Amino acid sequence: MSDENLDDDIDLSALPDDELVEQMHDDLYDGLRDEIVEGTEILLSRGWSASKVLDEALVEGMRIVGIDFRDGILFVPEVLMSANAMKGGMGILRPLLAETGAEPIGKMVIGTVKGDIHDIGKNLVGMMMEGAGFEVIDLGIDNPVEDYLAAIEEHKPDILGMSALLTTTMPYMKVVIDTLVEKGIRDDCIVLVGGAPLNEEFGKAVGADAYCRDAAVAVETAQNLISQRRAA
Ligand code: B1M
């Protein structure tokens, strides 16, 4: 991908949209946070919606990073820099995605499960849920079951969301759901699960109400299940 030093010479604001987006994929790959922040601001100033910038420039760039991480071309320190750059862009988009004057339509507690420190996808889900008018309580990463229980007791959420990105951590979702069942509180909230290695079948097997492929599906599913519950 791009040579970091070359970026010093590139005037991002002079690039047409498609080249700028491609450059942002390269900058994300190279973990250049300032450039990602600048590129995000430029696209917004050109009238791009926050969700278009998110999908086409940031999430797509991170997908490319993921492929080379999988193939052993990129390693943890480099991917951490990419994640940091991605978060720079997300920081600008967050308030825009969350803009809503309406009363919260529901409350969600969300966290990445124990043993897992991936949080970009979870953060995106939280941002999109806020944007759709939900109040979101973010428990962060590496949450043991006790954290979820304490948050449910404190916040009485309509929805509990769990994220896992590792095949080794996704089974922990069942530990959490089984504990809710044991304590007789499983039906107090809707349980949604998500993360790249999961699928519909896994969601059913662990006893979640639904598996959400991405943040948009999470919002849609949350809205549908909440209205079904309220109607019932
Ligand atoms: Co990690 N990592 N990683 N990693 N990492 C993956 C997940 C991996 C697939 C890479 C690979 O090999 N191709 C692989 C897992 C393999 C497996 O389990 N089969 C992997 C590995 C192996 C590891 C380590 C073990 C590496 C090591 O140390 N040797 C290690 C584990 C650390 C740990 O957690 N204990 C590790 C570490 C890291 C970093 C710290 C370097 C960094 C995380 C930084 C951070 O998150 N702050 C990192 C990253 C960035 C990735 C990849 C490249 C990108 C993940 C990401 O952010 N994607 C990832 C490869 C990949 O997924 N392609 C990989 C972008 C994000 C927008 O998508 O998270 O899928 P995603 O979220 C989506 C949906 O899944 C869904 O909506 C989101 C938005 O649309 N969703 C939900 C997610 N959570 C949801 C919750 C919901 C609903 C929907 O609740 C309702």
Side-chain angles (χ1 to χ4, degrees), residues 59 62-63 65-67 69-71 75-80 83 86-87 108 110-111 115-125 141 159-169 173 192-197 210-216 218:
V59 172
M62 210 58 201
R63 192 186 65 80
V65 170
I67 293 170
F69 188 31
R70 179 196 63 204
D71 295 343
F75 296 96
V76 170
E78 292 149 326
V79 178
L80 266 176
M86 169 111 184
K87 285 182 179 178
M108 175 189 228
I110 188 165
D116 201 320
I117 62 168
H118 294 87
D119 67 355
I120 294 174
K122 166 191 68 64
N123 294 348
L124 265 180
V125 173
I141 54 174
I159 298 171
L160 172 67
M162 286 187 278
S163 180
L165 266 287
L166 299 173
T167 45
T168 48
T169 56
M173 292 176 166
L192 301 182
V193 294
Y211 153 72
C212 307
R213 190 183 63 241
D214 59 30

Side-chain angles (χ1 to χ4, degrees), residues 72-104:
I73 297 164
L74 288 178
F75 296 96
V76 170
E78 292 149 326
V79 178
L80 266 176
M81 286 179 67
S82 298
N84 182 41
M86 169 111 184
K87 285 182 179 178
M90 280 164 64
I92 295 168
L93 300 179
R94 173 184 286 274
L96 302 173
L97 290 167
E99 252 168 32
T100 163
E103 279 289 292

